Amino acid sequence: MNEKPPCARVLALLASLLLVGACCPPKRVDYSTPEATLRTWQAQLCHDDPIEEYGCLTAGLKLQMGGWETYYAARRKLLEEQPFFAWLLKTFDLPGRAVETLVLEDAGVARMTFEVEGQEYDIAFERETWAIFDTQDDPSPTARLERPIADVVYQRGGQQVLRVDEPLLSSEQIRRLRAIRVLTRWKIGSISGLLTPAEVTP
């Protein structure tokens, strides 16, 4: 028996979750958990906001995909050529349909597993570290840090220290700096059959 192509496999997965009356979820931006990130990506897709969708992906996946242009081209092709598939992606609460959710907090990785017709499909996540700088700018400058949060924020001599590998602000922004907030964000590293580097890179 011939194996279904990746897109067809994901379509079969989503079709198996079909519910009557599904509608567009409220727009949201929440990266606090893998589930919240997946719902954010789905909501942005449903509300046709490709820039915010792209913001749900890890820096590594963006790089391997070839950047924004590749994502946008793949997205547009999906919406134009697979409207039913796209509708399913937009409207169904995928986190609620996972048969298994594995979160490894210490490693900063997570995985949701879905099952259809005896086959498993995964959505992988990675936890990124971000710094938000209060410089009175609108919006506030932000930067993704290469190290885990435990490696960039620590105590020394009774003071909290932020360690960075390269300058993140201009000298003018540093003069206006009032506070720094460091947080983690869960981002999508891959979606089986849809957002995997080997399948979307030209």
Side-chain angles (χ1 to χ4, degrees), residues 50-127:
I51 294 178
E52 291 293 343
E53 293 166 33
Y54 191 66
C56 295
L57 312 183
T58 63
L61 179 57
K62 292 175 183 177
L63 180 63
Q64 292 173 323
M65 287 176 64
W68 158 254
E69 291 81 6
T70 303
Y71 175 79
Y72 186 75
R75 169 197 194 276
R76 184 175 59 185
K77 183 177 181 180
L78 169 70
L79 296 179
E80 292 176 353
E81 297 183 2
Q82 301 285 342
F84 180 65
F85 174 49
W87 176 76
L88 289 172
L89 272 179
K90 293 175 181 180
T91 55
F92 285 95
D93 181 44
L94 293 183
R97 299 291 171 169
V99 296
E100 180 184 12
T101 299
L102 177 65
V103 180
L104 302 177
E105 290 286 350
D106 292 342
V109 296
R111 184 186 72 244
M112 290 184 195
T113 301
F114 301 85
E115 184 175 331
V116 59
E117 297 179 354
Q119 297 188 43
E120 293 186 348
Y121 306 92
D122 294 329
I123 300 177
F125 302 84
E126 298 174 20
R127 188 174 56 205

Side-chain angles (χ1 to χ4, degrees), residues 24-45:
C24 200
K27 196 168 183 180
R28 55 185 290 157
V29 178
D30 184 355
Y31 305 121
S32 59
T33 66
E35 293 87 351
T37 297
L38 182 54
R39 290 188 176 107
T40 293
W41 180 75
Q42 288 186 268
Q44 305 304 341
L45 181 66

Side-chain angles (χ1 to χ4, degrees), residues 7-8 16 19 23 26 28 31 50 63 65 72 74 78 82 91 105 111 120 130 136 146 164 166 171 178 183 199 202:
C7 195
S16 72
L19 298 174
C23 60
R28 55 185 290 157
Y31 305 121
L63 180 63
M65 287 176 64
Y72 186 75
L78 169 70
Q82 301 285 342
T91 55
E105 290 286 350
R111 184 186 72 244
E120 293 186 348
W130 286 77
Q136 301 180 338
E146 296 293 340
V164 295
E166 58 184 27
S171 56
R178 298 186 301 185
L183 48 81
E199 292 164 359

Side-chain angles (χ1 to χ4, degrees), residues 152-179:
V152 298
V153 179
Y154 58 93
Q155 295 288 332
R156 184 174 65 190
Q159 295 184 326
Q160 195 170 52
V161 177
L162 172 64
R163 174 187 177 184
V164 295
D165 296 322
E166 58 184 27
L168 302 176
L169 300 176
S170 67
S171 56
E172 178 61 27
Q173 288 175 320
I174 291 175
R175 283 194 291 271
R176 299 201 309 271
L177 185 62
R178 298 186 301 185

